[in-house]
Amino acid sequence: IKQGGGATAKMDGAVAVFGAQFSNAIGVEDNVKMSNASDNLSILEGTKSLSIDGRLPATANDVLGINIGSLSGTNYQLEIDAKAYTSNGLTAYLRDAYKNTTVALAAGVNTISFTADAKVAATYQNRFSVVFKPTTLSVNSIVATATANDNVATITWNTVGEKGVAKFEVEKSTDGTDFAKIGEESAKNTATASYSATDNAATAANNFYRIKAISTDGTIAYSNIAKVITNYELGITLYPNPLVGKKLNIDFNKVNVGEYLVTITNVLGQKVTEQAINHAGGNGNHAVNIESSMAKGVYNVVIRDINSKEHVFQSTLSVQ
């Protein structure tokens, strides 16, 4: 679990390991959770909270409870790393009891942003769980693309293998993280199908779109995220370059409002300095203070959007 809406900080974690050598009862393979002063995450095994849970291979309708407690903030990210999960004919889903949604987990790292209120237990306690179901997808593939002409974006998506899909919802974001519905289309439920929708208010520098497929049984699947840049031409420059002193100036020209992370590394990939900057949008100058002494040579400067994780600028910096 991570805390923060922008630059997130890891707060706590737990791991579940599946194998025939384990059991679903508390045993030597398990480790009881030792609570932190705040921001605790553990796996529930009956009434026990575990930081390590060794389990038998999952079977249909198994439930892995996620316990969250002692919160110190409101904005969090739940990160589920499923890279090592072997499906064995079962798909793992994340159940959100508070929002009443069930979403299939991808094979890699899944990041779910959520807001919690320490005074409202339902916003975090027993909210999330991982459930296992036989692998049956309501749609085998959803591929979304987007193009823009002035401030009008056209979103298209193609599907393969629709079966039991109730509808598709078009969702939009300006930061690549928080999405909201802007339209919907009824599903055709044919072997292949094509759809399109328009957004007449694509006025931000960055516009992100994704398609949400809602099946008749309530399960949800998402397309890839499609991005378009409308009426801004992003411009970022560094000076002085070569660097003199310990202050690097960064000029933003027509850059979208947001929080950006500037990272400077040496030729070995070692981090020299890193600093977050808040940009109010449009044009602006920001100073990055170099705390450590930098030897003569060439360094790499990367600027990325903290929310979307997207690299928006990369350049070399010379130190004489």
Side-chain angles (χ1 to χ4, degrees):
I1 188 172
K2 297 180 178 180
Q3 185 184 108
T8 57
K10 291 184 178 180
M11 306 306 293
D12 202 9
V15 60
V17 183
F18 299 87
Q21 70 272 34
F22 303 136
S23 74
N24 289 347
I26 303 297
V28 294
E29 67 270 18
D30 303 316
N31 191 63
V32 176
K33 169 68 178 178
M34 301 295 290
S35 295
N36 307 314
S38 63
D39 299 304
N40 286 280
L41 182 143
S42 59
I43 295 170
L44 286 175
E45 187 68 73
T47 59
K48 292 288 186 179
S49 293
L50 306 176
S51 57
I52 300 175
D53 186 11
R55 299 174 60 86
L56 288 168
T59 59
N61 301 317
D62 269 0
V63 177
L64 194 65
I66 299 173
N67 189 31
I68 297 173
S70 304
L71 301 184
S72 64
T74 56
N75 295 318
Y76 288 89
Q77 288 183 348
L78 178 64
E79 186 176 276
I80 300 178
D81 186 345
K83 291 194 297 289
Y85 172 67
T86 302
S87 68
N88 193 29
L90 297 172
T91 297
Y93 294 82
L94 180 69
R95 171 68 178 165
D96 184 338
Y98 184 66
K99 288 190 173 182
N100 194 30
T101 59
T102 303
V103 181
L105 294 172
V109 177
N110 301 259
T111 302
I112 302 92
S113 298
F114 69 98
T115 301
D117 184 345
K119 297 179 181 178
V120 182
T123 63
Y124 61 96
Q125 284 185 359
N126 300 317
R127 174 173 178 174
F128 297 106
S129 59
V130 177
V131 297
F132 299 89
K133 299 180 181 181
T135 302
T136 55
L137 299 177
S138 58
V139 57
N140 293 335
S141 172
I142 314 172
V143 178
T145 59
T147 58
N149 184 8
D150 291 329
N151 292 330
V152 178
T154 300
I155 306 99
T156 60
W157 64 100
N158 299 313
T159 65
V160 176
E162 289 180 35
K163 185 178 181 181
V165 181
K167 62 182 178 180
F168 295 99
E169 292 184 351
V170 182
E171 295 186 339
K172 176 184 177 181
S173 171
T174 56
D175 60 12
T177 301
D178 297 317
F179 285 83
K181 175 185 172 182
I182 63 169
E184 69 175 56
E185 295 286 338
S186 297
K188 298 176 182 178
N189 284 308
T190 54
T192 59
S194 297
Y195 304 84
S196 67
T198 57
D199 174 20
N200 296 321
T203 56
N206 297 317
N207 299 273
F208 302 86
Y209 301 94
R210 70 181 182 187
I211 306 303
K212 179 180 180 180
I214 303 175
S215 67
T216 53
D217 66 2
T219 56
I220 294 170
Y222 288 96
S223 72
N224 59 299
I225 296 175
K227 174 188 172 183
V228 295
I229 299 176
T230 54
N231 53 353
Y232 280 80
E233 292 182 4
L234 303 184
I236 299 176
T237 56
L238 309 176
Y239 71 91
N241 191 5
L243 179 67
V244 177
K246 293 189 176 182
K247 185 172 76 171
L248 176 66
N249 294 288
I250 303 177
D251 262 350
F252 278 19
N253 178 35
K254 295 182 178 180
V255 176
N256 196 29
V257 61
E259 190 174 10
Y260 297 87
L261 189 66
V262 181
T263 305
I264 301 176
T265 56
N266 60 23
V267 293
L268 298 177
Q270 298 168 324
K271 187 188 301 181
V272 175
T273 191
E274 190 170 66
Q275 181 177 317
I277 56 179
N278 287 295
H279 182 60
N283 300 341
N285 178 266
H286 304 276
V288 174
N289 296 313
I290 311 298
E291 296 179 358
S292 59
S293 59
M294 295 174 65
K296 292 182 179 180
V298 177
Y299 295 80
N300 191 43
V301 180
V302 171
I303 302 176
R304 70 176 186 270
D305 185 310
I306 289 178
N307 288 320
S308 68
K309 307 296 191 296
E310 180 186 8
H311 287 200
V312 298
F313 177 82
Q314 184 167 342
S315 182
T316 57
L317 175 68
S318 177
V319 175
Q320 300 296 325

